Amino acid sequence: MGTDTLRTPAADEAAGRRREQRGWYFYDWACSVYSTSVLTVFLGPYLTSVAESAADAEGFVHPLGIPVRAGSFFAYSVSLSVIVAVLVMPLVGAAADRTGRKKPLLGAAAYLGAAATACMFLLDGDRYLLGGVLLIVANAAQSVAMMLYNSYLPQIAPPEERDAVSSRGWAFGYAAGALVLVVNLVLYLAHDSFGLSESMAVRICLASAGLWWGAFALIPLRRLRDRRSPARESAVTGWRQLAATIRDMRRHPLTLSFLLAYLVYNDGIQTVITQASVYGSKELGLEQSTLIGAVLLVQVLAVFGALGLGRLARRYGAKRTVLGSLIAWTVILAAGYFLPAGAPVWFFVLAAGIGLVLGGSQALSRSLFSHLVPPGKEAEYFSAYELSDRGMSWLGPLLFGLTYQLTGSYRDAIISLVAFFALGFVLLARVPVRRAVAEAGNPVPERI
């Protein structure tokens, strides 16, 4: 008797689910290189230097006739990219749930972002405006794609598996970021040996992230399956669906309370991710190689941090573990304010602390929210989650940019981010998560 005859429908279903989960992990593997090499390491300092080369005698550039200090241009571009994503994500999320065809929309967003990132190779001279446009397109496309990607989690993992599956996805992403960053570091440090200028090496690193993103996105697009949703009225437009989603979310006030808490503390996380290299290079006077090494350390430790906090969540619950990570974030950011300039050792110590809490706090927040989504409304609700993830994350970079514009000091800006973590802790602590899961119509896990 062959082994195939012994397979049960339940075993086939479990095997199919594991195959989808493995494919799902690879989207984090594909797109996290953009977050690491482009947004966190290279683009901030490089685009700032391009803007500085185009600045007038007083240090200002004038996009659309608006005077902007060159050192603030990158932060403002990040903020604008988030506003664009805010306008697009609810429309795409509603369309995905209405049609049940998330995969084509995921592919379109992923390849738009990958193409814009690959085109960053063209950033030379004083083309700061081109850099701003490509950043806005790539960042907004990544936000839309991540919203669709996250919305698969409730469909490919039962409640008892979600913390582990979400944590593995983040671990895959950080592992890819570390791997590519090693290659970037070799190219950057040895650019003379390769006959390249420093600027050309950076542009190659930027473009390679787009090529990596596009190549590995093929794996999830082959393995993930679309689930047909119940037919909805085709005349409902994206914005009308958004209004309906907001009205529906008002019926789940505890889900909204979680989103508010996540909105606040994640704003701090996203600002640290996007502005850390600028802070290190401009305020602390650290070399680009030091910044790359620090981010590489973050990536490596974030793999273990995501898996380690996932284990803690199984023992203590996701909510308690996230609250603990927010305390750690508060301590780390407060210490960051006092970092001495020109002291890479202390910057590496701070990077190690960030790495240990970064992946876990994000992965567990994602899995925690997946329990609060009413069945059949995954893409709609994850568009709201992504709005909280990206949509209000323009406040941190905007505050960072404004503080520098007014004071000329990045050190003053970094201390303000502590408020995001402290307030987020208070708001999350007040959410009765078990009752929120039950009110969303989902089974309540034994530990959450």
Side-chain angles (χ1 to χ4, degrees):
M1 181 179 293
T3 56
D4 289 345
T5 61
L6 299 177
R7 294 183 67 88
T8 65
D12 288 338
E13 180 182 351
R17 187 171 68 243
R18 286 192 295 272
R19 185 178 188 275
E20 275 197 279
Q21 288 172 359
R22 288 192 292 268
W24 186 80
Y25 299 150
F26 267 97
Y27 189 72
D28 246 325
W29 175 274
C31 75
S32 291
V33 172
Y34 165 81
S35 299
T36 303
S37 289
V38 177
L39 204 58
T40 305
V41 177
F42 287 109
L43 188 59
Y46 183 70
L47 185 55
T48 299
S49 68
V50 172
E52 287 172 346
S53 69
D56 59 22
E58 297 180 347
F60 285 83
V61 291
H62 299 269
L64 304 178
I66 302 170
V68 173
R69 192 183 290 271
S72 298
F73 181 75
F74 173 70
Y76 290 157
S77 297
V78 172
S79 293
L80 185 55
S81 73
V82 174
I83 294 171
V84 172
V86 167
L87 298 175
V88 175
M89 280 191 293
L91 306 180
V92 176
D97 278 335
R98 188 171 62 249
T99 64
R101 293 180 58 79
K102 284 190 283 193
K103 192 158 68 169
L105 294 170
L106 173 61
Y111 282 102
L112 177 61
T117 305
C119 287
M120 290 178 185
F121 180 78
L122 303 175
L123 299 183
D124 60 350
D126 58 358
R127 296 180 176 176
Y128 76 96
L129 272 179
L130 176 62
V133 170
L134 292 175
L135 169 58
I136 290 167
V137 172
N139 222 33
Q142 189 207 31
S143 296
V144 172
M146 284 301 294
M147 175 266 293
L148 294 165
Y149 163 73
N150 287 337
S151 72
Y152 274 99
L153 181 58
Q155 297 178 337
I156 65 173
E160 66 274 9
E161 293 182 7
R162 286 182 201 164
D163 287 347
V165 170
S166 183
S167 295
R168 287 190 202 112
W170 282 106
F172 260 63
Y174 285 117
L179 175 63
V180 174
L181 204 53
V182 168
V183 178
N184 290 160
L185 183 59
V186 171
L187 178 64
Y188 179 81
L189 293 179
H191 61 83
D192 288 335
S193 302
F194 294 107
L196 301 173
S197 66
E198 181 178 325
S199 172
M200 177 63 76
V202 171
R203 288 159 54 202
I204 290 173
C205 291
L206 293 173
S208 66
L211 298 177
W212 178 282
W213 186 356
F216 284 103
L218 291 171
I219 297 175
L221 292 175
R222 285 181 60 86
R223 291 198 172 188
L224 291 172
R225 294 187 296 112
D226 278 332
R227 275 82 170 168
R228 300 301 299 179
S229 299
R232 300 191 185 185
E233 184 181 343
S234 60
V236 176
T237 66
W239 286 109
R240 289 175 59 192
Q241 184 60 57
L242 171 61
T245 301
I246 294 173
R247 287 195 300 270
D248 187 72
M249 291 191 74
R250 291 170 61 187
R251 296 170 47 224
H252 303 282
L254 297 181
T255 300
L256 282 174
S257 296
F258 173 83
L259 279 176
L260 176 61
Y262 180 69
L263 178 154
V264 173
Y265 69 75
N266 186 66
D267 199 345
I269 293 174
Q270 294 299 321
T271 306
V272 172
I273 291 172
T274 59
Q275 304 303 320
S277 288
V278 176
Y279 179 71
S281 64
K282 300 299 180 181
E283 183 69 33
L284 302 182
L286 301 176
E287 297 292 333
Q288 184 74 18
S289 58
T290 300
L291 299 176
I292 297 173
V295 174
L296 179 59
L297 179 62
V298 169
Q299 296 299 116
V300 172
L301 292 180
V303 175
F304 299 102
L307 298 176
L309 289 186
R311 288 180 176 272
L312 288 176
R314 289 199 292 273
R315 182 171 182 178
Y316 299 105
K319 178 183 173 181
R320 288 183 179 179
T321 307
V322 172
L323 288 172
S325 75
L326 297 182
I327 294 175
W329 273 110
T330 301
V331 173
I332 289 167
L333 267 293
Y337 175 80
F338 295 103
L339 280 184
V345 172
W346 288 110
F347 192 73
F348 279 114
V349 171
L350 197 73
I354 290 174
L356 290 174
V357 297
L358 176 60
S361 56
Q362 293 178 313
L364 292 176
S365 296
R366 177 171 64 185
S367 63
L368 192 55
F369 181 72
S370 72
H371 295 283
L372 309 181
V373 178
K377 298 184 177 181
E378 291 82 8
E380 282 181 44
Y381 272 64
F382 266 103
S383 72
Y385 176 85
E386 196 70 17
L387 288 175
S388 297
D389 190 352
R390 313 282 182 182
M392 292 304 293
S393 296
W394 56 273
L395 286 174
L398 180 61
L399 177 62
F400 204 91
L402 283 174
T403 303
Y404 178 77
Q405 178 139 343
L406 294 174
T407 68
S409 171
Y410 291 108
R411 198 177 290 273
D412 291 338
I414 200 71
I415 194 62
S416 67
L417 302 182
V418 170
F420 290 101
F421 296 103
L423 180 57
F425 179 94
V426 172
L427 293 174
L428 179 59
R430 293 169 58 89
V431 179
V433 172
R434 298 183 69 83
R435 183 151 59 93
V437 175
E439 291 184 2
N442 293 315
V444 181
E446 180 180 351
R447 195 177 297 278
I448 187 170

